[in-house]
Amino acid sequence: MVNTRSLRQPAARAAGSRKSRKQARQYTEETLLDALRWYDEHPGESYKSTGELYGVPPSTLHSRHTRRNSSRGESHAHQQLLSPEEEGALCDWIEHLSYMGFPVDKDTLHSLVMQITGASRPPGENWHKRFLKRHPGVQLGKPFGLDPERARAFNRHTVDDYFKKLKAVIDEYNIPWSHVYNMDEKGIQRGGGRRLQRIKYFVPRGRRVNYKLRSNNLELITIIECISADGRALLPGFIFAGNQVPSDALKDIDPQVVVGHSPNGWTEGFLCTEWFRKCFLPQANAHRETDAPLLLILDGHNSHITPELRQLAIENNVHLFLLPPHTTHRLQPLDVGIFSHIQNAWVKRCNEHYSRSLGREMSRGQLIREYLALRQRVLKSSLIRKAWWNSGITSGTWSADFFSEEDFAPSYATSAIAHVPLSYPETDAGIVSADLESAHLPAQSPLPTPDDVPLHTPSSSRLCTPTPLRSPTRTLSRSPSPRSPSPSPGASLSGCSRASSLTTRTMLSQRLLSRNEEVQCLREENARLRKRNRELIGHAEHALAHASIAKWELQRIRDELYRKTSTKKRRNVRTSAALITAGEGAAQCERGEREAAEREERKQAEQARRAEEERNRQIQRERLTRDDRVTFSESLNRKVKEDLKDIAFALSLPLDGTNSELCARITEHLRSHAARYSTHPKSALST
């Protein structure tokens, strides 16, 4: 039954919601900034026309343009736990750590805030929500998992070396793209797997639990796929779990499709060699265009580099090029752009089959036919070529520049060079130290009065230059010009008095005007310095926030370095790409094969020596048991293992186990048969 209670709303509530939506702010801060930018770029526009264009009230545009009002973030910045500059540095580190594979969760975010502020208590429970509102470029999300070995191996040096070697092989042997192949295995499950495909279904409202029936068959089948760089896909090989494959599984199947079996359904050296001989070589040779060799790019799994497979490749003019270890997730075309599409299509097909067959399982023959039909729809030529291009092979770049710095960022965690965000302040600029020295000034200081500031002419070109003052003494004592008529001796005293008064008032007004101009210039200079001071304080806060988070990151790295590790010695492994059928790679493989054969010989010789010693020891035990003159005495805890085995053999007890197990076994036997061995001539043991 559909729950309609949530669909009915009171009329008053609906009216109230309409009223609140009407009064709600219909524009964002970004829209307002765009409107101000438009108004500055178009002088002929008015506030009204610009506001109508961007949906911003004209009064708001006028107040923000004349700087009477500021943004909501600026007006409430003094109430925030972190300043805008500190939050900017925090956002940069969140992005940087996310690229490196160490995303910041809520608890880590609180730790970073405490590191910046120096507080002993974390911020409030809802602080991160307000932080996300202030910074829409940061959001909560679920990252994908990445193996640390993959993160370490996929670095710029390894990728550059790989592309350099691959290009050298292709250029040296003039190999066309139609002769370049990539091979790898993929595991599928007969029932599609435990994870359901992300498909939404129509379900009744109010139902808390909804189920989707699916197959629970988790039998593993390994598929060997191979694609060429020109967009072709070779027929695959199948490996089933078990001791045999039913004969009906191969009915109506292409003869070039190889089907094998292994105890657990995984590939192994023999099966991979048989696939190479019966599946790859016939199909690849059928598409040869020239006499140039074939190039097969594959990972360095043990089953791919067996001596038999390498010798078979050399005999058939096929070069085996091994990818760098732990880099197939970005450099192998099958992993980059093929297997994910096949997996999604296979899960969907298994769900459809289960629904249409009313729960019946696929047979092995039906599975092969369903998979072949599915891959024919999925593996289009365009998809295959795109996978090769996304792996950087056919892009023509032939360098690590094909990938961005964000792709290499996870390898920074194991790099010997410190990596910080791009906004991290530099330390070798003299201006930075000068700015930081002046950053201790108060952000808001009172404006100085004219009496508190010495009079001087500002040297800045931004300031207005005041009119120079005239000396009143010089003005009063100036001698008349020879051309000007001299005053008549009969001039009245009243006329002289009025002229002197007028001259004095004029000079005073000029002097006051000049002083006001100087005061205005000084006020402008003071406002500029205060603005510069606030900028320097912001730079200092930004730099200190970076330094605090960098200190936290260094401490984390130090803890990782000094963490207790295993003392087991690791054997030397290959860390770069290699061509194992020619040149140095072939010689190295031959040396490895000889060393492996020598190790096997030494191992067999050691096993034969131990077997011979055990046979001799067994003969000696039998002789000691028959010899009545030999007596087993002293404490059991002081005897070595071989002596304990001699005693156990004489008592017809098992010889396996540790020293303590042998002692306990012998002691228990002697106690249970104490009457028999108390007077036995060969027994004088003590526990």
Side-chain angles (χ1 to χ4, degrees), residues 468-532:
L469 296 177
R470 293 184 179 182
S471 174
T473 306
R474 185 179 178 183
T475 304
L476 292 176
S477 62
R478 186 177 59 179
S479 60
S481 175
R483 296 183 181 181
S484 60
S486 59
S488 59
S492 61
L493 295 177
S494 61
C496 293
S497 175
R498 288 194 298 270
S500 176
S501 177
L502 181 61
T503 303
T504 303
R505 287 196 300 270
T506 302
M507 289 188 298
L508 291 176
S509 62
Q510 291 178 355
R511 183 176 181 181
L512 182 60
L513 179 61
S514 177
R515 187 176 180 85
N516 291 338
E517 291 178 353
E518 289 187 358
V519 170
Q520 181 64 26
C521 292
L522 291 175
R523 287 179 176 176
E524 293 178 359
E525 173 72 4
N526 188 30
R528 187 186 68 82
L529 292 177
R530 288 174 57 188
K531 180 180 179 181
R532 178 59 177 166

Side-chain angles (χ1 to χ4, degrees), residues 294-361:
L294 302 177
L295 179 63
L296 181 59
I297 302 174
L298 66 169
D299 59 67
H301 193 268
N302 293 333
S303 62
H304 298 165
I305 53 177
T306 58
E308 295 80 10
L309 192 148
R310 194 173 65 85
Q311 185 63 32
L312 189 62
I314 294 175
E315 295 174 357
N316 289 272
N317 197 18
V318 178
H319 288 317
L320 302 179
F321 191 86
L322 301 184
L323 291 163
H326 308 292
T327 60
T328 57
H329 64 294
R330 301 306 302 268
L331 299 180
Q332 181 161 245
L334 283 169
D335 284 339
V336 171
I338 301 298
F339 284 159
S340 59
H341 292 79
I342 291 179
Q343 178 65 27
N344 294 333
W346 177 249
V347 173
K348 184 177 180 180
R349 183 67 191 95
C350 289
N351 291 336
E352 293 176 354
H353 173 80
Y354 187 86
S355 300
R356 295 178 180 178
S357 63
L358 302 179
R360 290 193 301 271
E361 298 291 346

Side-chain angles (χ1 to χ4, degrees), residues 53-74:
L53 180 62
Y54 285 90
V56 180
S59 58
T60 304
L61 278 176
H62 179 266
S63 60
R64 289 292 295 274
H65 189 263
T66 57
R67 300 186 182 278
R68 293 182 180 179
N69 294 333
S70 59
S71 64
R72 184 177 300 177
E74 294 176 356

Side-chain angles (χ1 to χ4, degrees), residues 273-284:
T273 304
E274 290 300 307
W275 170 86
F276 186 81
R277 178 186 291 109
K278 298 180 180 179
C279 185
F280 174 77
L281 289 177
Q283 298 183 67

Side-chain angles (χ1 to χ4, degrees), residues 1 65 87 119 132 173 180 190 205 254 259 292 331 345 363 399 404 446 454 467 481 497 510 524 537 544 570 672:
M1 180 177 180
H65 189 263
E87 289 192 353
L132 293 176
Y173 297 99
V180 180
R190 186 185 291 193
R205 184 183 296 274
D254 194 307
V259 180
L331 299 180
S363 63
S399 69
S404 64
T467 304
S481 175
S497 175
Q510 291 178 355
E524 293 178 359
I537 291 178
L544 291 176
R570 299 184 59 183
S672 60

Side-chain angles (χ1 to χ4, degrees), residues 87-102:
E87 289 192 353
L90 181 59
C91 291
D92 295 339
W93 275 95
I94 290 175
E95 181 181 3
H96 177 69
L97 293 174
S98 178
Y99 289 151
M100 288 182 59
F102 297 97

Side-chain angles (χ1 to χ4, degrees), residues 410-464:
S411 64
Y412 295 164
T414 56
S415 175
I417 303 174
H419 295 273
V420 294
L422 295 177
S423 62
Y424 194 85
E426 299 182 2
T427 58
D428 55 350
I431 298 178
V432 175
S433 60
D435 291 347
L436 294 178
E437 290 177 359
S438 61
H440 69 277
L441 298 175
Q444 294 183 356
S445 57
L447 286 174
T449 60
D451 296 335
D452 298 332
V453 182
L455 296 178
H456 65 280
T457 302
S459 59
S460 176
S461 60
R462 299 182 181 180
L463 304 178
C464 57

